[in-house]
Structures are given as C-alpha cells and as structure tokens.
Amino acid sequence: MSVQQAIVTLIGAIISGVLATCITIFINHRTEKIKLKQQLVDDIFGYKYQLTNSSTRSGIDVNANGFVRAMNRIPVVFNDEESILQAYDKFYDKALIADTKERSEKMNEALMDLLKLMCHSAHIKCDNWNDSRFKRTFNV
C-alpha cells in the first residue's frame, strides 16, 4: 500500500467516524428530548386529579405540588413549540376566572387542548382517544 492510499484511507476513516458521531449525537439528543416531553405529559396526566372545584382562586388544590410543578415545567420543556406555549397561556388565563363553575368548565377545555397538543409533540398516539380519556381521573 502506498503512502497516498494510506492517507486516503485514514482521512476516510476519520470523516466516517466524525460523521457517525455527529449523527449519533443528533439522534440521542432528539430521543432524549422526546423522552423528557413524554415524562412531563405523564406527570401532568398523573397529577391532574389535583385539579379541584375548590374555593381557591385558581381552582387548583393548594397542596397540588405535583401538578403545579409539572405545569411550571411546560415552558422549559416545550420552549420551541409556540402552539403549546399559547395553549399553556390560555390554560393559565382560564385558571384566573372568578366564577367557579365557569372557571372549571373553561379550565377543563383548555387543559384538554393543551394535553392533546403535548401528546402529539411527545409522539404519544392519542388520535383515537375520546375527550373523556383526557378529562377523567381516578381520585378517591
């Protein structure tokens, strides 16, 4: 093997190694981002029972640490998705409605819209779910 062939082989090996590393890093980053989104959606579904019709100003139980923490993470995790941030702001605005009955209805609608968008972004297949799957909870 000549020196020229060795150099070409070495350069080819370096380029292919760098290219493979870049592709792997990109795919791992994308996968981790999706996992983070899925975990947040999971947390919100898991803690949504903490939404109450209580007399609190926001309609959220004052001891709802899990739900509130999960909701507060939305702007960080979904920072690159304007539609989700708009739905998040809409949900927050509905939580400030003074009338308890109206607040409850509007919050449920806004939360359902937000969850649908988040599920889609997190690659959770929910197209065949009816609205009750987004609304119902098992809180004893």
Side-chain angles (χ1 to χ4, degrees):
M1 180 185 316
S2 71
V3 174
Q4 188 177 17
Q5 288 175 326
I7 291 173
V8 169
T9 303
L10 183 61
I11 290 174
I14 290 172
I15 290 174
S16 67
V18 169
L19 186 62
T21 301
C22 290
I23 291 171
T24 301
I25 288 171
F26 174 77
I27 291 172
N28 285 341
H29 175 71
R30 186 170 183 266
T31 303
E32 284 299 315
K33 197 168 185 176
I34 290 171
K35 283 182 183 180
L36 187 62
K37 289 177 179 182
Q38 289 173 342
Q39 181 62 46
L40 180 54
V41 171
D42 180 28
D43 287 347
I44 291 173
F45 267 95
Y47 289 117
K48 72 181 175 176
Y49 72 91
Q50 293 176 335
L51 282 175
T52 65
N53 293 327
S54 67
S55 60
T56 60
R57 174 80 174 122
S58 66
I60 299 172
D61 184 356
V62 292
N63 296 318
N65 294 333
F67 182 78
V68 171
R69 182 177 186 281
M71 292 300 289
N72 285 335
R73 288 174 38 217
I74 289 174
V76 174
V77 175
F78 292 95
N79 65 345
D80 57 343
E81 303 206 29
E82 190 60 35
S83 61
I84 292 175
L85 295 176
Q86 289 174 353
Y88 172 78
D89 291 338
K90 180 181 173 185
F91 177 76
Y92 181 78
D93 291 342
K94 302 306 178 196
L96 299 177
I97 295 174
D99 181 73
T100 307
K101 184 177 179 186
E102 181 184 3
R103 178 182 61 232
S104 178
E105 290 175 14
K106 303 267 183 178
M107 279 180 68
N108 279 335
E109 291 173 16
L111 181 61
M112 198 169 43
D113 292 342
L114 177 61
L115 286 172
K116 286 178 182 179
L117 288 170
M118 290 172 63
C119 284
H120 178 70
S121 175
H123 300 257
I124 297 171
K125 297 191 186 305
C126 63
D127 296 336
N128 62 345
W129 293 3
N130 57 23
D131 289 350
S132 69
R133 286 217 176 143
F134 290 96
K135 291 181 185 178
R136 66 181 173 209
T137 61
F138 291 97
N139 49 332
V140 182

